[in-house]
Amino acid sequence: MALEAGSLMVIVPAYNEAGAVGEVVRGVRETMAGVRVLVIDDCSEDATVSVARHAGAEVLGLPHHLGLGGCVQAGYKLAFELGYDYVIRVDGDGQHAPQDIPRVLDALKTSGCQMVIGSRYAGGTPPRTSWARGLGIRFFRLVLRPILGRPVHDPTSGFVGVNRAALELFTRSFPLEYPEIEALVVLQRKAFRFLEVSCQTRPRLAGRSTITALKSLYYIVHVLLGVFVNILKYEGRRRRQ
Amino acid sequence: MMDRLLMVMTGLSVALLALVLVSVRRAHIRVEYSVSWLVAAAVLLGLSRFHGLLAWMAAFLGVESAPLALLMVVFSVFLMVFFRFSVILSHLKDHSVALAQRVAILEFHLRSLHEKEPDQ
């Protein structure tokens, strides 16, 4: 690992991921020796906490279930308080390859962007996904294109790195449910920039996705509403003052 | 027909008033959250008892039927009450999330302290 890793924290939001989180933590620690790995447990009902600790992670245990956004934001808040300059989030289901973390960190340090997305679609062979999910991703690409003023290939990726400026922003304003897409609009409100780097994905190591067919519809409506609410919060007035 | 509707509305308003007051007394509802319901019940009671007021309301809304005006007012009043409680619920959820995150972070710091000083 050529990069200095001391100012990096890797966070892993997890809810009932006992079957996968241990492998995720071990993978990150093998790839990024010496880096602090924080599993944020969203009040799991299985052995997620003990498995994560046994694998060498520290655990931030939420007292009740907050959903993905609240869970990730708790990790951001702790990392910000502890003074970290960079935070990289990987999902607890093992779909993200830890070997890609150095490239995300490198891009964060050298690009000047406040956020780097590990993108499944930015290059190479796109992963196989259900038609509904693929359609949803294409739909949100179209919606976000005029809002962000530039294309985004993988707006739903959970493999995300942020620097301290974005970290500070997200400790104050972060969507509670389905945060990935809305977080891009939150960044845009502050005129922050993001970059996508190509990353590989793997099949989840255990468990099933919580997004069912019915939830997909709710997801689209919820996220669309969240996106437009965030646009309404545009801080132009404050900037002019 | 009209008289029966107004009697039913009067009964419902009185029942709502009584229910809210009893709930406040038993501390099932906090006083600040009972105000919306008490005002709603008082408005409905007033409209159902004072026919002149209801006729004026119907004329103001531009509807010929007083019962329809009464239903429109009932619907609007409860819509406002529900909206107010949606705002309150949203604030409570934000506070609850922030508190849960703070508790988790404090527990994390406490655990770190205990692990650093195992003998003390």
Side-chain angles (χ1 to χ4, degrees), chain A residues 38 53 58-61 63-64 70 73-74 77-78 81 176, chain B residues 93-94 96-98 100-105 107-109 111:
Chain A
L38 178 77
R53 285 211 171 102
E58 294 173 272
V59 175
L60 179 65
H64 60 86
Q73 192 187 35
K77 284 182 175 179
L78 179 62
E81 281 187 19
L176 284 183
Chain B
K93 171 143 188 180
D94 285 345
S96 158
V97 168
Q101 291 173 335
R102 178 54 37 199
V103 166
I105 289 170
E107 274 185 355
F108 180 89
H109 288 315
R111 190 183 172 93

Side-chain angles (χ1 to χ4, degrees), chain B residues 42-88:
Chain B
V43 167
L44 297 181
L45 186 61
L47 285 174
S48 62
R49 283 297 82 202
F50 299 103
H51 294 199
L53 187 62
L54 186 58
W56 176 83
M57 184 63 74
F60 179 77
L61 293 172
V63 291
E64 289 182 9
S65 162
L68 182 61
L70 183 60
L71 287 177
M72 284 174 69
V73 172
V74 169
F75 181 73
S76 306
V77 166
F78 282 103
L79 212 58
M80 283 189 285
V81 172
F82 290 143
F83 177 76
R84 180 167 182 266
F85 284 124
S86 293
V87 172
I88 292 169

Side-chain angles (χ1 to χ4, degrees), chain B:
Chain B
M1 175 71 182
M2 175 68 178
D3 285 345
R4 185 178 295 176
L5 178 70
L6 292 178
M7 284 300 290
V8 169
M9 200 53 71
T10 302
L12 285 175
S13 309
V14 171
L16 182 59
L17 272 173
L19 181 68
V20 173
L21 289 174
V22 168
S23 300
V24 171
R25 186 173 170 273
R26 290 181 180 171
H28 292 163
I29 303 178
R30 293 184 65 84
V31 174
E32 57 267 35
Y33 300 130
S34 70
V35 174
S36 301
W37 290 117
L38 290 175
V39 169
V43 167
L44 297 181
L45 186 61
L47 285 174
S48 62
R49 283 297 82 202
F50 299 103
H51 294 199
L53 187 62
L54 186 58
W56 176 83
M57 184 63 74
F60 179 77
L61 293 172
V63 291
E64 289 182 9
S65 162
L68 182 61
L70 183 60
L71 287 177
M72 284 174 69
V73 172
V74 169
F75 181 73
S76 306
V77 166
F78 282 103
L79 212 58
M80 283 189 285
V81 172
F82 290 143
F83 177 76
R84 180 167 182 266
F85 284 124
S86 293
V87 172
I88 292 169
L89 270 178
S90 300
H91 283 302
L92 280 175
K93 171 143 188 180
D94 285 345
H95 294 163
S96 158
V97 168
L99 274 173
Q101 291 173 335
R102 178 54 37 199
V103 166
I105 289 170
L106 288 174
E107 274 185 355
F108 180 89
H109 288 315
L110 268 178
R111 190 183 172 93
S112 302
L113 281 174
H114 282 305
E115 283 172 356
K116 277 180 189 166
E117 301 168 4
D119 299 329
Q120 291 180 0

Side-chain angles (χ1 to χ4, degrees), chain A residues 165-231:
Chain A
L167 197 58
E168 196 266 338
L169 172 64
F170 287 155
T171 59
R172 287 184 283 111
S173 177
F174 199 70
L176 284 183
E177 287 185 81
Y178 314 125
E180 294 86 3
I181 292 174
E182 285 181 56
L184 285 168
V185 185
V186 172
L187 277 183
Q188 177 68 16
R189 271 175 27 213
K190 288 284 180 187
F192 283 2
R193 293 182 300 133
F194 71 91
L195 174 76
E196 287 182 276
V197 296
S198 174
C199 290
Q200 54 176 307
T201 50
R202 310 173 297 187
R204 56 170 50 240
L205 294 172
R208 295 172 62 186
S209 171
T210 54
I211 299 182
T212 59
L214 190 62
K215 280 187 180 174
S216 296
L217 190 64
Y218 173 71
Y219 175 92
I220 289 174
V221 174
H222 187 292
V223 173
L224 260 184
L225 193 62
V227 165
F228 289 114
V229 166
N230 272 292
I231 292 169

